Amino acid sequence: MSLADRWRAARPPVAGLHLDSAACSRQSYTAMAAAAQHARHEAEVGGYVAAEAAAPVLDAGRAAFAALTGMAAAEVVFTTGSRHALDLLLSRWPAGRTLACLPGEYGPNLALIAAHGFRRRMLPADGTGRVMLEEAAAALAADRPDLVHLTPVSSHRGLVHPLADLVGVCAEAGVPLVIDAAQALGQIDCAVGADVVYSSSRKWLAGPRGVGALAVRPELAGLLVPGPEAGDENVAAQVGFSAALGEYLAAGPAAVRARLAEVGSLSRQALAGLAGWRVVEPVDEPSAITTLAPTDGADPVAVRSALIAEHRIVATAAGVERAPLELTGPVLRISPHVDTTETDLAAFAEALVAVTAAD
Ligand SMILES: *Cc1c(COP(=O)(O)O)cnc(C)c1O
């Protein structure tokens, strides 16, 4: 069986077309059963006793996250998602509060960075939004920030930054590199030596919603001592996420990444030249996120609604708030997982033409 067939067979049949993994992938039967089983165990023996019994599963989940992020020796904690992870990290960041990031940084991250009192400065990017390494190295050497924050694959554009190269640039400059891997984990190799990596469960790893993880290098791990603000935790969701991490590792990270890159390229080929839309990414960008910018006034929000209502196709309308320093208008985003076929993509292209004409 191919990877696509195994991925499809591992979860319920889709109602329509699901082209929205960057928002929330479809969970597997195994991940759903693991979470449900834990909830049942809570009812049988009590929530806190069940949590103790689940400790080995959660340890395996954290170890899988550490393996996928190249943080074998690191401290890994579960969070309620990527936003929570960044909030936790920044709230405990010790000394200097000057942060460098790219113009394409995720809007909600920019808001958190500001809320925690960090001064922000921009790293240089080219016309597509991609970091320019030599210029970035020079900027970091000239005026060293306290950390670099990078979102290696963004939510508003399927652009992939040269993560491994930037790790080298930051190491050279002696600046810790913090990675928002909400979109990168599962799509590109994130085990390349960053100092902090955090991500969400529900996106490319296809775990449940409302859970994520944060991995921090031992030298910075003092940051993660649980504070008095720690609240209750959704252990069932952590168990489901752990199951999804295990399944992802079993599927073969390199094979999944290669297939996602292929699906991205097939998407851009299927959508090239559609009237009223421009594909934003280079055809062979190794990401399964493809965005379409309207060229003739179509409204991505209305188009998304019509795709769901009339064709049962799920995509995303991404507004400028996703990347307020880079996006100049809203885009329509598709983010198919490994089981999406060329027939599916052709069906999407046809539906998009139909709803655009009616818009
Ligand atoms: C989805 C997303 C987040 C937020 O993740 P949550 O788990 O919902 O907090 C952060 N950064 C990027 C790039 C995202 O795509």
Side-chain angles (χ1 to χ4, degrees):
M1 235 202 256
S2 71
L3 171 63
D5 289 342
R6 276 181 283 133
W7 192 268
R8 197 178 301 111
R11 55 208 80 228
V14 60
L17 276 184
H18 184 90
L19 304 177
D20 212 21
S21 290
C24 187
S25 279
R26 303 195 311 115
Q27 288 192 70
S28 70
Y29 292 116
T30 303
M32 292 185 289
Q37 180 64 40
H38 183 79
R40 187 189 167 96
H41 202 216
E42 286 183 343
E44 288 165 349
V45 304
Y48 293 86
V49 177
E52 279 170 40
V57 174
L58 301 181
D59 285 344
R62 280 188 289 260
F65 189 84
L68 280 173
T69 54
M71 298 280 226
E75 207 61 53
V76 178
V77 293
F78 286 113
T79 64
T80 62
S82 292
R83 189 199 135 81
H84 178 210
L86 181 60
D87 195 28
L88 207 59
L89 182 79
L90 296 184
S91 67
R92 292 169 188 195
W93 192 262
R97 296 198 160 209
T98 307
L99 176 153
C101 63
L102 284 163
E105 184 55 60
Y106 186 58
N109 289 352
L110 292 173
L112 267 182
I113 287 164
H116 284 287
F118 282 76
R119 278 186 312 280
R120 186 184 74 205
R121 65 175 74 135
M122 284 300 146
L123 291 172
D126 66 16
T128 63
R130 203 186 312 270
V131 62
M132 296 195 291
L133 290 164
E134 272 176 38
E135 291 80 352
L140 293 177
D143 193 3
R144 200 173 152 276
D146 298 301
L147 73 146
V148 170
H149 184 277
L150 176 73
T151 299
V153 182
S154 42
S155 152
H156 68 289
R157 185 174 294 172
L159 192 78
V160 178
H161 293 285
L163 175 56
D165 294 333
L166 195 69
V167 166
V169 165
C170 290
E172 184 71 25
V175 182
L177 177 61
V178 175
I179 299 297
D180 172 350
Q183 297 299 347
L185 194 65
Q187 288 210 81
I188 66 165
D189 186 3
C190 292
V192 293
D195 297 284
V196 177
V197 182
Y198 61 89
S199 192
S200 312
S201 149
R202 71 184 185 281
K203 297 178 178 179
W204 299 95
L205 298 173
R209 296 183 61 177
V211 59
L214 166 65
V216 179
R217 282 226 177 284
E219 306 82 73
L220 293 170
L223 293 174
L224 294 183
V225 179
E229 76 278 15
D232 191 34
E233 298 184 58
N234 187 340
V235 179
Q238 295 171 354
V239 167
F241 182 26
S242 298
L245 281 159
E247 283 190 293
Y248 183 91
L249 284 174
V256 176
R257 293 195 298 257
R259 173 63 188 160
L260 288 174
E262 182 182 36
V263 167
S265 170
L266 291 170
S267 301
R268 294 173 206 119
Q269 289 169 50
L271 299 172
L274 284 195
W277 299 94
R278 175 179 63 84
V279 174
V280 174
E281 296 77 15
V283 166
D284 288 327
E285 196 69 16
S287 153
I289 293 176
T290 295
T291 57
L292 293 155
T295 56
D296 202 15
D299 172 12
V301 173
V303 166
R304 171 186 180 270
S305 298
L307 285 168
I308 293 171
E310 293 159 28
H311 300 272
R312 296 202 302 177
I313 297 176
V314 187
T316 294
V320 295
E321 68 283 353
R322 298 246 177 176
L325 306 179
E326 181 167 274
L327 263 189
T328 53
V331 294
L332 185 70
R333 179 186 73 186
I334 64 163
S335 48
H337 218 299
V338 294
D339 52 343
T340 303
T341 64
E342 284 178 80
T343 309
D344 294 339
L345 294 167
F348 169 67
E350 198 176 313
L352 181 58
V353 168
V355 302
T356 306
D359 183 30

